[in-house]
Amino acid sequence: SYLVSCEVLCGEGSDGALEGMDRAYLIVGVNAASEDDAMTKIEASFEEEGYAIVDVEWISVASEMEWEDADGEAEGKDIVARLATLPEEVVYGVLFAATSEVSEAA
């Protein structure tokens, strides 16, 4: 299994857009043979759900993940547990609103 932390654009009808977010950060989990396979499955799922990847912060084999805080670790463990019951699915974590700061530097 792989865990991926990414920033996404929330398209019309997506959970993020329904919660009033233009952009969001989230962790997703997927069972895959490689990082490339994981990203292919995630991108296909995002397309179905109305999301588009803006940036991938990190991708890691779930069993090798080193967490910076207890909340992240708890969410990661929850995603991995749900992956075990939904092995063919991409499992979504909690959406966190991304601030859309636009710099006006010349």
Side-chain angles (χ1 to χ4, degrees):
S1 323
Y2 284 86
L3 293 174
V4 180
S5 175
C6 52
E7 180 182 0
V8 295
L9 291 173
C10 302
E12 189 175 323
S14 69
D15 289 346
L18 296 175
E19 293 176 24
M21 293 183 255
D22 293 326
R23 291 176 173 232
Y25 290 101
L26 76 156
I27 298 173
V28 295
V30 63
N31 288 315
S34 66
E35 286 186 11
D36 287 343
D37 186 35
M39 291 309 302
T40 299
K41 289 179 177 182
I42 289 167
E43 288 169 355
S45 178
F46 279 3
E47 193 170 314
E48 281 181 28
E49 298 295 329
Y51 295 102
I53 294 176
V54 174
D55 185 40
V56 174
E57 187 177 348
W58 50 257
I59 182 168
S60 176
V61 174
S63 62
E64 297 173 2
M65 185 63 204
E66 293 181 16
W67 297 99
E68 293 179 11
D69 60 56
D71 290 342
E73 183 174 5
E75 182 177 3
K77 286 181 178 179
D78 177 61
I79 291 169
V80 170
R82 287 189 288 146
L83 265 178
T85 62
L86 302 165
E88 301 302 317
E89 302 291 324
V90 173
V91 176
Y92 290 64
V94 179
L95 290 168
F96 294 97
T99 57
S100 52
E101 297 173 12
V102 178
S103 67
E104 295 183 18

PDB file of all heavy atoms in Angstrom, residues 4-26:
ATOM      1  N   VAL A   4      -0.251   8.880  -0.066  1.00  0.00           N
ATOM      2  CA  VAL A   4       0.145  10.045  -0.847  1.00  0.00           C
ATOM      3  C   VAL A   4      -0.499  11.288  -0.238  1.00  0.00           C
ATOM      4  O   VAL A   4      -1.700  11.309   0.006  1.00  0.00           O
ATOM      5  CB  VAL A   4      -0.311   9.904  -2.321  1.00  0.00           C
ATOM      6  CG1 VAL A   4       0.109  11.115  -3.138  1.00  0.00           C
ATOM      7  CG2 VAL A   4       0.237   8.626  -2.934  1.00  0.00           C
ATOM      8  N   SER A   5       0.321  12.297   0.024  1.00  0.00           N
ATOM      9  CA  SER A   5      -0.176  13.581   0.497  1.00  0.00           C
ATOM     10  C   SER A   5      -0.138  14.538  -0.677  1.00  0.00           C
ATOM     11  O   SER A   5       0.904  14.695  -1.317  1.00  0.00           O
ATOM     12  CB  SER A   5       0.698  14.109   1.635  1.00  0.00           C
ATOM     13  OG  SER A   5       0.281  15.412   2.014  1.00  0.00           O
ATOM     14  N   CYS A   6      -1.279  15.157  -0.973  1.00  0.00           N
ATOM     15  CA  CYS A   6      -1.317  16.030  -2.135  1.00  0.00           C
ATOM     16  C   CYS A   6      -2.263  17.203  -1.949  1.00  0.00           C
ATOM     17  O   CYS A   6      -3.117  17.207  -1.074  1.00  0.00           O
ATOM     18  CB  CYS A   6      -1.684  15.242  -3.389  1.00  0.00           C
ATOM     19  SG  CYS A   6      -3.165  14.256  -3.247  1.00  0.00           S
ATOM     20  N   GLU A   7      -2.068  18.190  -2.807  1.00  0.00           N
ATOM     21  CA  GLU A   7      -2.966  19.336  -2.900  1.00  0.00           C
ATOM     22  C   GLU A   7      -3.797  19.127  -4.157  1.00  0.00           C
ATOM     23  O   GLU A   7      -3.268  18.723  -5.193  1.00  0.00           O
ATOM     24  CB  GLU A   7      -2.181  20.636  -3.001  1.00  0.00           C
ATOM     25  CG  GLU A   7      -3.075  21.858  -3.111  1.00  0.00           C
ATOM     26  CD  GLU A   7      -2.306  23.162  -3.253  1.00  0.00           C
ATOM     27  OE1 GLU A   7      -1.058  23.141  -3.270  1.00  0.00           O
ATOM     28  OE2 GLU A   7      -2.959  24.201  -3.362  1.00  0.00           O
ATOM     29  N   VAL A   8      -5.088  19.382  -4.037  1.00  0.00           N
ATOM     30  CA  VAL A   8      -5.985  19.174  -5.171  1.00  0.00           C
ATOM     31  C   VAL A   8      -6.865  20.393  -5.412  1.00  0.00           C
ATOM     32  O   VAL A   8      -7.120  21.177  -4.497  1.00  0.00           O
ATOM     33  CB  VAL A   8      -6.899  17.937  -4.946  1.00  0.00           C
ATOM     34  CG1 VAL A   8      -6.094  16.653  -4.896  1.00  0.00           C
ATOM     35  CG2 VAL A   8      -7.751  18.088  -3.696  1.00  0.00           C
ATOM     36  N   LEU A   9      -7.317  20.522  -6.643  1.00  0.00           N
ATOM     37  CA  LEU A   9      -8.378  21.458  -6.989  1.00  0.00           C
ATOM     38  C   LEU A   9      -9.686  20.709  -6.808  1.00  0.00           C
ATOM     39  O   LEU A   9      -9.807  19.560  -7.255  1.00  0.00           O
ATOM     40  CB  LEU A   9      -8.255  21.926  -8.442  1.00  0.00           C
ATOM     41  CG  LEU A   9      -7.080  22.821  -8.785  1.00  0.00           C
ATOM     42  CD1 LEU A   9      -7.026  23.050 -10.295  1.00  0.00           C
ATOM     43  CD2 LEU A   9      -7.172  24.140  -8.052  1.00  0.00           C
ATOM     44  N   CYS A  10     -10.644  21.339  -6.157  1.00  0.00           N
ATOM     45  CA  CYS A  10     -11.942  20.708  -5.906  1.00  0.00           C
ATOM     46  C   CYS A  10     -12.923  21.132  -6.994  1.00  0.00           C
ATOM     47  O   CYS A  10     -13.350  22.290  -7.029  1.00  0.00           O
ATOM     48  CB  CYS A  10     -12.474  21.125  -4.544  1.00  0.00           C
ATOM     49  SG  CYS A  10     -11.368  20.729  -3.173  1.00  0.00           S
ATOM     50  N   GLY A  11     -13.240  20.223  -7.878  1.00  0.00           N
ATOM     51  CA  GLY A  11     -14.159  20.526  -8.968  1.00  0.00           C
ATOM     52  C   GLY A  11     -15.601  20.516  -8.499  1.00  0.00           C
ATOM     53  O   GLY A  11     -15.924  20.053  -7.403  1.00  0.00           O
ATOM     54  N   GLU A  12     -16.472  21.030  -9.340  1.00  0.00           N
ATOM     55  CA  GLU A  12     -17.893  21.087  -9.031  1.00  0.00           C
ATOM     56  C   GLU A  12     -18.424  19.694  -8.703  1.00  0.00           C
ATOM     57  O   GLU A  12     -18.148  18.734  -9.415  1.00  0.00           O
ATOM     58  CB  GLU A  12     -18.646  21.653 -10.241  1.00  0.00           C
ATOM     59  CG  GLU A  12     -20.086  21.968  -9.964  1.00  0.00           C
ATOM     60  CD  GLU A  12     -20.761  22.639 -11.153  1.00  0.00           C
ATOM     61  OE1 GLU A  12     -20.086  23.447 -11.830  1.00  0.00           O
ATOM     62  OE2 GLU A  12     -21.921  22.335 -11.391  1.00  0.00           O
ATOM     63  N   GLY A  13     -19.148  19.585  -7.593  1.00  0.00           N
ATOM     64  CA  GLY A  13     -19.718  18.299  -7.199  1.00  0.00           C
ATOM     65  C   GLY A  13     -18.808  17.455  -6.325  1.00  0.00           C
ATOM     66  O   GLY A  13     -19.236  16.452  -5.775  1.00  0.00           O
ATOM     67  N   SER A  14     -17.532  17.840  -6.170  1.00  0.00           N
ATOM     68  CA  SER A  14     -16.636  17.095  -5.281  1.00  0.00           C
ATOM     69  C   SER A  14     -16.970  17.436  -3.837  1.00  0.00           C
ATOM     70  O   SER A  14     -17.585  18.469  -3.552  1.00  0.00           O
ATOM     71  CB  SER A  14     -15.179  17.440  -5.571  1.00  0.00           C
ATOM     72  OG  SER A  14     -14.904  18.779  -5.178  1.00  0.00           O
ATOM     73  N   ASP A  15     -16.586  16.579  -2.908  1.00  0.00           N
ATOM     74  CA  ASP A  15     -16.841  16.852  -1.490  1.00  0.00           C
ATOM     75  C   ASP A  15     -16.219  18.165  -1.061  1.00  0.00           C
ATOM     76  O   ASP A  15     -16.801  18.914  -0.279  1.00  0.00           O
ATOM     77  CB  ASP A  15     -16.302  15.720  -0.602  1.00  0.00           C
ATOM     78  CG  ASP A  15     -17.127  14.452  -0.724  1.00  0.00           C
ATOM     79  OD1 ASP A  15     -18.248  14.508  -1.270  1.00  0.00           O
ATOM     80  OD2 ASP A  15     -16.652  13.398  -0.266  1.00  0.00           O
ATOM     81  N   GLY A  16     -15.028  18.454  -1.546  1.00  0.00           N
ATOM     82  CA  GLY A  16     -14.355  19.702  -1.186  1.00  0.00           C
ATOM     83  C   GLY A  16     -15.134  20.915  -1.657  1.00  0.00           C
ATOM     84  O   GLY A  16     -15.353  21.869  -0.905  1.00  0.00           O
ATOM     85  N   ALA A  17     -15.583  20.881  -2.917  1.00  0.00           N
ATOM     86  CA  ALA A  17     -16.354  22.007  -3.451  1.00  0.00           C
ATOM     87  C   ALA A  17     -17.666  22.152  -2.697  1.00  0.00           C
ATOM     88  O   ALA A  17     -18.121  23.265  -2.426  1.00  0.00           O
ATOM     89  CB  ALA A  17     -16.605  21.811  -4.946  1.00  0.00           C
ATOM     90  N   LEU A  18     -18.270  21.031  -2.330  1.00  0.00           N
ATOM     91  CA  LEU A  18     -19.527  21.083  -1.579  1.00  0.00           C
ATOM     92  C   LEU A  18     -19.323  21.695  -0.195  1.00  0.00           C
ATOM     93  O   LEU A  18     -20.244  22.257   0.378  1.00  0.00           O
ATOM     94  CB  LEU A  18     -20.140  19.677  -1.454  1.00  0.00           C
ATOM     95  CG  LEU A  18     -20.559  19.033  -2.780  1.00  0.00           C
ATOM     96  CD1 LEU A  18     -21.033  17.603  -2.550  1.00  0.00           C
ATOM     97  CD2 LEU A  18     -21.649  19.846  -3.463  1.00  0.00           C
ATOM     98  N   GLU A  19     -18.106  21.589   0.324  1.00  0.00           N
ATOM     99  CA  GLU A  19     -17.785  22.195   1.623  1.00  0.00           C
ATOM    100  C   GLU A  19     -17.234  23.605   1.448  1.00  0.00           C
ATOM    101  O   GLU A  19     -16.740  24.206   2.401  1.00  0.00           O
ATOM    102  CB  GLU A  19     -16.774  21.317   2.372  1.00  0.00           C
ATOM    103  CG  GLU A  19     -17.357  19.971   2.789  1.00  0.00           C
ATOM    104  CD  GLU A  19     -16.328  19.068   3.452  1.00  0.00           C
ATOM    105  OE1 GLU A  19     -15.333  19.572   4.001  1.00  0.00           O
ATOM    106  OE2 GLU A  19     -16.545  17.848   3.415  1.00  0.00           O
ATOM    107  N   GLY A  20     -17.281  24.155   0.233  1.00  0.00           N
ATOM    108  CA  GLY A  20     -16.858  25.516  -0.023  1.00  0.00           C
ATOM    109  C   GLY A  20     -15.366  25.701  -0.247  1.00  0.00           C
ATOM    110  O   GLY A  20     -14.850  26.809  -0.148  1.00  0.00           O
ATOM    111  N   MET A  21     -14.642  24.632  -0.558  1.00  0.00           N
ATOM    112  CA  MET A  21     -13.202  24.724  -0.785  1.00  0.00           C
ATOM    113  C   MET A  21     -12.886  24.715  -2.271  1.00  0.00           C
ATOM    114  O   MET A  21     -13.424  23.899  -3.006  1.00  0.00           O
ATOM    115  CB  MET A  21     -12.476  23.543  -0.125  1.00  0.00           C
ATOM    116  CG  MET A  21     -12.523  23.538   1.378  1.00  0.00           C
ATOM    117  SD  MET A  21     -11.552  22.156   2.051  1.00  0.00           S
ATOM    118  CE  MET A  21     -12.877  21.055   2.534  1.00  0.00           C
ATOM    119  N   ASP A  22     -12.023  25.648  -2.687  1.00  0.00           N
ATOM    120  CA  ASP A  22     -11.529  25.628  -4.065  1.00  0.00           C
ATOM    121  C   ASP A  22     -10.376  24.642  -4.184  1.00  0.00           C
ATOM    122  O   ASP A  22     -10.231  23.934  -5.170  1.00  0.00           O
ATOM    123  CB  ASP A  22     -11.011  27.008  -4.482  1.00  0.00           C
ATOM    124  CG  ASP A  22     -12.133  28.031  -4.564  1.00  0.00           C
ATOM    125  OD1 ASP A  22     -13.255  27.651  -4.930  1.00  0.00           O
ATOM    126  OD2 ASP A  22     -11.877  29.203  -4.247  1.00  0.00           O
ATOM    127  N   ARG A  23      -9.534  24.635  -3.148  1.00  0.00           N
ATOM    128  CA  ARG A  23      -8.370  23.743  -3.085  1.00  0.00           C
ATOM    129  C   ARG A  23      -8.369  23.058  -1.728  1.00  0.00           C
ATOM    130  O   ARG A  23      -8.856  23.607  -0.754  1.00  0.00           O
ATOM    131  CB  ARG A  23      -7.064  24.531  -3.214  1.00  0.00           C
ATOM    132  CG  ARG A  23      -6.825  25.116  -4.562  1.00  0.00           C
ATOM    133  CD  ARG A  23      -5.564  25.952  -4.545  1.00  0.00           C
ATOM    134  NE  ARG A  23      -5.237  26.385  -5.889  1.00  0.00           N
ATOM    135  CZ  ARG A  23      -4.055  26.230  -6.458  1.00  0.00           C
ATOM    136  NH1 ARG A  23      -3.069  25.672  -5.803  1.00  0.00           N
ATOM    137  NH2 ARG A  23      -3.849  26.643  -7.684  1.00  0.00           N
ATOM    138  N   ALA A  24      -7.771  21.883  -1.688  1.00  0.00           N
ATOM    139  CA  ALA A  24      -7.684  21.163  -0.420  1.00  0.00           C
ATOM    140  C   ALA A  24      -6.420  20.317  -0.395  1.00  0.00           C
ATOM    141  O   ALA A  24      -5.858  19.985  -1.438  1.00  0.00           O
ATOM    142  CB  ALA A  24      -8.907  20.265  -0.235  1.00  0.00           C
ATOM    143  N   TYR A  25      -5.990  20.004   0.816  1.00  0.00           N
ATOM    144  CA  TYR A  25      -4.915  19.043   1.038  1.00  0.00           C
ATOM    145  C   TYR A  25      -5.550  17.792   1.597  1.00  0.00           C
ATOM    146  O   TYR A  25      -6.499  17.858   2.377  1.00  0.00           O
ATOM    147  CB  TYR A  25      -3.898  19.578   2.063  1.00  0.00           C
ATOM    148  CG  TYR A  25      -3.069  20.721   1.553  1.00  0.00           C
ATOM    149  CD1 TYR A  25      -3.359  22.024   1.909  1.00  0.00           C
ATOM    150  CD2 TYR A  25      -1.979  20.492   0.711  1.00  0.00           C
ATOM    151  CE1 TYR A  25      -2.598  23.083   1.453  1.00  0.00           C
ATOM    152  CE2 TYR A  25      -1.214  21.547   0.239  1.00  0.00           C
ATOM    153  CZ  TYR A  25      -1.521  22.842   0.618  1.00  0.00           C
ATOM    154  OH  TYR A  25      -0.764  23.877   0.150  1.00  0.00           O
ATOM    155  N   LEU A  26      -5.030  16.632   1.211  1.00  0.00           N
ATOM    156  CA  LEU A  26      -5.507  15.393   1.777  1.00  0.00           C
ATOM    157  C   LEU A  26      -4.471  14.299   1.599  1.00  0.00           C
ATOM    158  O   LEU A  26      -3.552  14.425   0.797  1.00  0.00           O
ATOM    159  CB  LEU A  26      -6.837  14.968   1.162  1.00  0.00           C
ATOM    160  CG  LEU A  26      -6.832  14.363  -0.237  1.00  0.00           C
ATOM    161  CD1 LEU A  26      -8.075  13.495  -0.401  1.00  0.00           C
ATOM    162  CD2 LEU A  26      -6.819  15.424  -1.299  1.00  0.00           C
TER     163      LEU A  26
END
